[in-house]
Amino acid sequence: MKKEVTTLKKIAQLLEVSTSTVSRALNNHPDISEETAIKVKKLAKKLNYMPNIFAKGFRQHRTNIIGVIVPNILSYFTSSILKEILLQAETKGYRVIISESNNDIKKEKEMLHTMLQFGVDGILMSLTKHTVDVEPILYALNQKPLILFDKVSRKVPCTQIIINGEEAAFNAVEHLINIGKKRIAILKEFEQSYNSEKRFQGYLRALKTNNIPVDEKLILSTDDISLKKGRRLTSQLISLKDKPDAIFSITDAAAIGAIQTLKKFNFKIPDEIAVIGFSNSLSSTIVEPKLTTIDQPGNRIGEMAVKYIIEEIEEPKENSTSKTIEIKTNLIIRDSTLLSI
Amino acid sequence: MKKEVTTLKKIAQLLEVSTSTVSRALNNHPDISEETAIKVKKLAKKLNYMPNIFAKGFRQHRTNIIGVIVPNILSYFTSSILKEILLQAETKGYRVIISESNNDIKKEKEMLHTMLQFGVDGILMSLTKHTVDVEPILYALNQKPLILFDKVSRKVPCTQIIINGEEAAFNAVEHLINIGKKRIAILKEFEQSYNSEKRFQGYLRALKTNNIPVDEKLILSTDDISLKKGRRLTSQLISLKDKPDAIFSITDAAAIGAIQTLKKFNFKIPDEIAVIGFSNSLSSTIVEPKLTTIDQPGNRIGEMAVKYIIEEIEEPKENSTSKTIEIKTNLIIRDSTLLSI
DNA sequence: CTGAAAGCGCTTACAG
DNA sequence: CTGAAAGCGCTTACAG
């Protein structure tokens, strides 16, 4: 079945030169005479020569593989980041190995280990929402370039690519205030989720800036901010004596759940209760009313992640300069906050 | 930065045995005395030994990497297949390299080439919708085990994992007939898309079986069956003198577009016009009315793809036994075909 | 400008 | 049961 494979040695024999010469010719080494170089390249092409990447990687201690670990590949936002990672890595001559931790910290740790064992040149990683022990990550960082994106942790001293979550939330909540809303609820995550916390900070700052008192009863947390939880938390909110007049959810999914529940109980959206989500998912334009939300450019995140990891791979610095790159988001105003008047 | 790495040689020196012995001990070779084996393993563990996979792969002509090429990673269905591929491959000790062809046949060909060059052990592949020239695929198949899934081609003599598209479409259309529909339109793809064609066959068979005449005006094709096209084609349909009383779309996206247009022009769904989609996407439960659709179990496809590719990798057969595995789908009936009476 | 030789870390046929 | 040695395909410091 397998076809005879062309090696440097074979080319060398046919041309009656040494393998060193062939190797150098193919790698554009300056010492080689143009004549030889052309001759070698021609034959290599004719024989459909493909370097054995494993021999090469093994020899050079480089694999040209970037490892990526994400919590959940099914998320549209994650897919859009991965799409760009694949594209950028490919154009720069890197291959990408993807692993999914499924929000399981044990799996996350194992994957980190196999990535290292596998000899990837660098690692891009988005943490599970339960990751608190960063020891395994520090260990990996000690061996290879490593960058965190989207779901990050301050406890890891490495380059981090994130969105401007605090500011985005601030803008979203201020938008609600601008359309006259005063009792703004927030649906957020329960755990020490970095992203959730950032967005919550933005929420608090927007209220403060506009002299709106914080009402604890309007701050709801859950450990899994899904569509179903959005429904459930919204049921809680509308059974309050003092109902909210707006809901800011830190995910689109929960925001859509909120809309479903509000409609079920015949609340007018946005006149009685406005809703804002986060991430501009596909479904945000399909739900009715269309959801106002924050667009997070996954492609920019992917692009930056690849750019910086390759930089760190190709120019390793002694004193790790760990920067934080903030990607700008965009508030997209749709019917769920567009007053009909 | 990089930590000192443990090699076989180092373990051998510390234990004053040969590297051969260490290698054999670690690989559970039967010849090694239990005493030695234990001693070696203990030290290896203590030193956190990780075999250099590249040396190993290089030596054994095996990489334990499966290459996957998909047209578009952003599709939820594709992601769900990938999710399972990652999971299954990992549990069986394989790593996965993913590439995205972006429905570009030139890129698809390049990717196939780099996968081979990279030395993957096997390739899983879902074709672009423009792939007609299968030469590059035949070439790859000649070198490595290769399996097609979801978007396949009969022209490639290899194992193929598909859903029962013809039957699924047949059931969907028959369901429409059962609720009393007689003028059933189909939105399908223009090009020689294998999946589209299968579903169209199912549509035709259902009509025929139920003695419903085929009306060419109800058969609409497009080269990109998206939400927008769903809207546009539906506008066409409702401007017919003889309007349809049901629409079967071969994608959920176009079905949702259809619903949006029907609602805009105040058609009652499903009473006046019923709608069925295909693939049970996330949005199919968010659109109103909720969309009747066909659930394609992406996980089953992923599972089978990994199972068979590993089989072919580990037990290469001379005469390639190319089977076709059909995964059963499921019609999910929701409001878009549930008559209110 | 070119070649001979060493070596990357591992496995394995051969010998004992 | 263990070891010495060869070799996987490539690159590169060294020599000329």
Side-chain angles (χ1 to χ4, degrees):
Chain A
M1 178 171 176
K2 271 196 194 159
K3 270 181 74 170
E4 188 86 347
V5 65
T6 307
T7 64
L8 286 189
K9 200 169 154 195
K10 189 175 296 164
I11 296 177
Q13 282 168 347
L14 288 169
L15 254 31
E16 295 185 316
V17 296
S18 72
T19 54
S20 328
T21 302
V22 177
S23 169
R24 283 194 270 249
L26 259 18
N27 289 307
N28 298 314
H29 191 100
D31 274 3
I32 296 292
S33 76
E34 203 179 333
E35 191 195 1
T36 316
I38 291 174
K39 196 171 63 177
V40 170
K41 284 180 184 173
K42 212 169 128 190
L43 185 62
K45 184 153 193 190
K46 188 175 151 214
L47 262 42
N48 201 11
Y49 171 70
M50 307 184 199
N52 178 321
I53 304 250
F54 275 70
K56 206 166 171 169
F58 168 44
R59 180 61 230 266
Q60 300 182 318
H61 297 284
R62 277 278 299 278
T63 56
N64 274 52
I65 299 180
I66 294 172
V68 182
I69 302 177
V70 292
N72 177 18
I73 197 181
L74 285 183
S75 137
Y76 184 79
F77 179 52
T78 300
S79 299
S80 68
I81 297 176
L82 289 177
K83 190 183 179 86
E84 192 70 20
I85 288 178
L86 290 174
L87 180 65
Q88 293 292 332
E90 232 138 51
T91 52
K92 291 177 180 158
Y94 283 78
R95 218 86 323 106
V96 174
I97 288 197
I98 297 174
S99 282
E100 193 191 32
S101 64
N102 245 314
N103 273 317
D104 176 340
I105 52 169
K106 199 160 143 255
K107 267 194 100 175
E108 183 176 54
K109 187 177 164 184
E110 275 170 29
M111 280 163 176
L112 211 42
H113 187 264
T114 35
M115 292 262 171
L116 288 177
Q117 155 161 2
F118 199 80
V120 296
D121 289 344
I123 296 174
L124 298 176
M125 175 162 199
S126 187
L127 305 178
T128 79
K129 58 183 168 187
H130 308 113
T131 308
V132 280
D133 172 20
V134 296
E135 263 315 314
I137 301 164
L138 295 176
Y139 177 80
L141 179 59
N142 192 34
Q143 308 212 29
K144 294 280 179 187
L146 184 151
I147 285 179
L148 295 179
F149 65 93
D150 187 32
K151 304 204 167 50
V152 305
S153 162
R154 278 284 170 249
K155 289 190 275 178
V156 184
C158 68
T159 296
Q160 319 212 345
I161 322 275
I162 51 175
I163 59 153
N164 60 345
E166 199 271 349
E167 199 183 343
F170 177 86
N171 291 337
V173 175
E174 194 146 71
H175 165 63
L176 289 171
I177 295 170
N178 288 340
I179 62 169
K181 301 300 186 180
K182 298 211 150 36
R183 290 190 50 71
I184 301 169
I186 182 169
L187 310 185
K188 67 182 191 71
E189 268 179 341
F190 203 49
E191 315 200 22
Q192 317 325 6
S193 151
Y194 178 84
N195 280 335
S196 178
E197 212 39 40
K198 279 275 201 171
R199 293 169 200 182
F200 183 47
Q201 297 303 332
Y203 165 84
L204 291 177
R205 182 162 67 88
L207 295 187
K208 196 168 182 187
T209 308
N210 291 275
N211 296 312
I212 294 180
V214 173
D215 182 345
E216 292 292 341
K217 285 201 285 308
L218 298 181
I219 301 172
L220 300 191
S221 303
T222 166
D223 63 341
D224 147 40
I225 180 127
S226 60
L227 193 137
K228 273 186 192 158
K229 284 291 172 57
R231 284 189 202 151
R232 197 167 310 164
L233 296 178
T234 302
S235 296
Q236 257 178 260
L237 284 172
I238 57 178
S239 66
L240 287 177
K241 203 170 54 154
D242 245 357
K243 300 186 189 5
D245 55 14
I247 298 175
F248 169 49
S249 162
I250 65 150
T251 67
D252 273 1
I256 290 171
I259 287 180
Q260 291 178 336
T261 295
L262 292 177
K263 282 165 78 175
K264 189 168 150 200
F265 291 100
N266 293 314
F267 285 90
K268 293 217 177 352
I269 308 171
D271 301 62
E272 291 177 81
I273 302 185
V275 180
I276 295 194
F278 207 114
S279 84
N280 195 21
S281 63
L282 286 184
S283 300
S284 66
T285 64
I286 288 168
V287 67
E288 291 181 54
K290 294 198 166 84
L291 182 66
T292 293
T293 186
I294 289 139
D295 183 53
Q296 322 181 71
N299 54 347
R300 288 282 295 154
I301 295 183
E303 184 189 342
M304 291 298 113
V306 172
K307 174 170 181 252
Y308 285 104
I309 197 72
I310 292 185
E311 236 177 73
E312 294 188 17
I313 291 169
E314 299 186 349
E315 303 151 19
K317 303 227 172 75
E318 268 321 302
N319 40 356
S320 55
T321 56
S322 56
K323 12 180 188 289
T324 297
I325 317 293
E326 259 202 11
I327 307 289
K328 288 268 171 284
T329 55
N330 220 344
L331 181 65
I332 301 185
I333 298 175
R334 299 205 187 98
D335 297 338
S336 72
T337 65
L338 270 183
L339 295 190
S340 49
I341 319 154
Chain B
M1 180 173 177
K2 270 197 198 156
K3 269 181 77 170
E4 188 86 347
V5 65
T6 309
T7 63
L8 285 189
K9 199 169 154 196
K10 189 175 297 163
I11 296 177
Q13 282 168 346
L14 288 169
L15 253 32
E16 294 183 319
V17 294
S18 72
T19 55
S20 330
T21 301
V22 177
S23 169
R24 283 193 271 248
L26 259 19
N27 289 308
N28 300 313
H29 191 99
D31 274 3
I32 296 293
S33 76
E34 202 180 334
E35 189 193 5
T36 316
I38 291 174
K39 196 171 65 176
V40 169
K41 284 181 185 174
K42 210 169 130 191
L43 185 62
K45 181 150 193 193
K46 188 173 152 212
L47 263 40
N48 200 12
Y49 171 71
M50 308 183 198
N52 179 321
I53 304 251
F54 274 70
K56 206 164 172 168
F58 168 44
R59 181 61 229 267
Q60 301 182 316
H61 297 284
R62 277 278 300 276
T63 57
N64 275 50
I65 300 180
I66 295 172
V68 183
I69 303 178
V70 292
N72 177 20
I73 196 181
L74 286 182
S75 138
Y76 183 78
F77 178 52
T78 300
S79 299
S80 68
I81 298 176
L82 288 177
K83 190 183 179 89
E84 192 70 19
I85 288 179
L86 290 174
L87 180 65
Q88 294 292 332
E90 232 138 52
T91 51
K92 290 176 181 159
Y94 283 77
R95 218 85 324 107
V96 174
I97 289 197
I98 297 173
S99 282
E100 193 191 32
S101 64
N102 245 314
N103 272 317
D104 175 341
I105 51 169
K106 201 163 141 250
K107 267 194 99 175
E108 183 177 55
K109 187 177 163 185
E110 276 170 28
M111 280 162 177
L112 211 41
H113 186 264
T114 35
M115 292 261 171
L116 289 178
Q117 153 161 4
F118 200 80
V120 296
D121 290 345
I123 295 175
L124 298 176
M125 178 163 197
S126 186
L127 305 178
T128 80
K129 57 182 168 188
H130 308 111
T131 307
V132 280
D133 172 19
V134 297
E135 263 315 313
I137 301 164
L138 295 176
Y139 176 81
L141 178 61
N142 191 34
Q143 308 212 30
K144 294 279 177 185
L146 185 152
I147 285 180
L148 295 179
F149 65 92
D150 187 31
K151 304 205 167 50
V152 305
S153 162
R154 278 285 170 249
K155 289 190 277 179
V156 184
C158 68
T159 296
Q160 318 213 345
I161 322 275
I162 52 176
I163 58 153
N164 60 343
E166 199 270 350
E167 199 182 343
F170 177 87
N171 291 338
V173 174
E174 193 146 70
H175 165 63
L176 290 171
I177 296 170
N178 287 341
I179 61 169
K181 302 299 186 180
K182 300 210 149 34
R183 290 190 50 71
I184 301 169
I186 181 167
L187 310 185
K188 68 181 191 71
E189 269 178 343
F190 202 48
E191 316 198 22
Q192 317 326 8
S193 151
Y194 178 83
N195 280 335
S196 178
E197 212 39 39
K198 278 277 201 167
R199 294 169 200 182
F200 183 48
Q201 298 303 334
Y203 164 84
L204 291 176
R205 182 163 66 89
L207 295 187
K208 196 167 183 187
T209 307
N210 292 275
N211 296 312
I212 295 181
V214 173
D215 182 345
E216 291 292 341
K217 286 202 285 305
L218 298 180
I219 299 172
L220 300 190
S221 301
T222 167
D223 62 343
D224 146 41
I225 181 127
S226 59
L227 193 136
K228 274 185 190 160
K229 285 290 171 57
R231 285 190 203 152
R232 197 168 309 166
L233 296 178
T234 301
S235 297
Q236 259 178 257
L237 283 172
I238 57 180
S239 66
L240 288 177
K241 205 171 53 155
D242 245 357
K243 300 187 189 4
D245 54 15
I247 299 175
F248 169 48
S249 162
I250 66 150
T251 67
D252 273 1
I256 289 172
I259 288 181
Q260 291 178 338
T261 295
L262 292 176
K263 283 166 76 175
K264 189 168 150 199
F265 291 99
N266 294 313
F267 285 89
K268 293 220 178 348
I269 307 171
D271 302 60
E272 289 178 82
I273 303 186
V275 181
I276 295 196
F278 206 115
S279 85
N280 194 21
S281 63
L282 287 183
S283 301
S284 66
T285 63
I286 289 168
V287 67
E288 291 180 54
K290 294 197 165 85
L291 182 65
T292 293
T293 186
I294 289 139
D295 183 53
Q296 322 180 73
N299 54 347
R300 288 281 295 152
I301 295 184
E303 185 189 341
M304 290 299 113
V306 172
K307 173 169 182 255
Y308 285 103
I309 196 73
I310 291 185
E311 235 176 74
E312 293 188 15
I313 290 169
E314 299 186 349
E315 303 150 21
K317 305 227 171 74
E318 268 321 301
N319 40 356
S320 55
T321 57
S322 54
K323 14 181 186 287
T324 296
I325 316 293
E326 259 202 10
I327 307 289
K328 288 266 172 285
T329 55
N330 219 346
L331 181 65
I332 300 184
I333 298 174
R334 300 207 188 97
D335 298 338
S336 73
T337 65
L338 269 183
L339 294 190
S340 50
I341 318 154

